[in-house]
Amino acid sequence: KQWYQRRVRGDPSGECTLLAGGTGRGTDLATVYCLEYTESGGYTRLFSGYSDSIKVWNLDRKIQCQTLDRHQGTVACLSVVRGKLYSGGYDQTVKVWRGSKIG
């Protein structure tokens, strides 16, 4: 899948950008319910919670590098603590994610 970055309309500074997946025509855009980021090991990761998954973004390269999809409902909150990603969902579960891409 190709990923693209573009300036957000109405931001004259050019400091606000949109990272999104797919064709670039808006067809793959979805509601983001929560965000978290971490800087570790020389990498900056952004985690975004969606209706039933978490996307992991490499902000240094501006690409999506992984999708975590174990929730059965909307991902409502995210937190990174000591190299682990914690996610809470409307499925009434808390998941603990470990791995090299978590940071």
Side-chain angles (χ1 to χ4, degrees):
K1 222 173 189 186
Q2 294 291 319
W3 299 96
Y4 70 96
Q5 174 185 358
R6 71 175 188 224
R7 282 187 56 189
V8 174
R9 279 186 240 168
D11 178 28
S13 70
E15 294 179 11
C16 186
T17 57
L18 170 70
L19 294 174
T23 62
R25 297 184 202 112
T27 56
D28 292 346
L29 299 180
T31 301
V32 176
Y33 293 94
C34 52
L35 293 170
E36 177 66 297
Y37 83 99
T38 186
E39 296 178 61
S40 176
Y43 296 101
T44 304
R45 299 281 188 248
L46 175 72
F47 305 94
S48 51
Y50 293 87
S51 60
D52 62 357
S53 65
I54 301 163
K55 294 192 187 305
V56 182
W57 298 84
N58 178 326
L59 291 185
D60 304 306
R61 296 180 55 207
K62 295 180 177 64
I63 61 167
Q64 182 196 341
C65 56
Q66 191 173 11
T67 299
L68 309 172
D69 58 0
R70 296 287 186 243
H71 279 284
Q72 300 298 313
T74 298
V75 178
C77 57
L78 297 166
S79 182
V80 175
V81 179
R82 295 186 184 130
K84 297 176 187 168
L85 174 66
Y86 296 84
S87 61
Y90 287 172
D91 58 0
Q92 301 179 355
T93 66
V94 174
K95 308 285 187 196
V96 181
W97 307 87
R98 299 173 188 89
S100 61
K101 291 194 171 91
I102 302 303

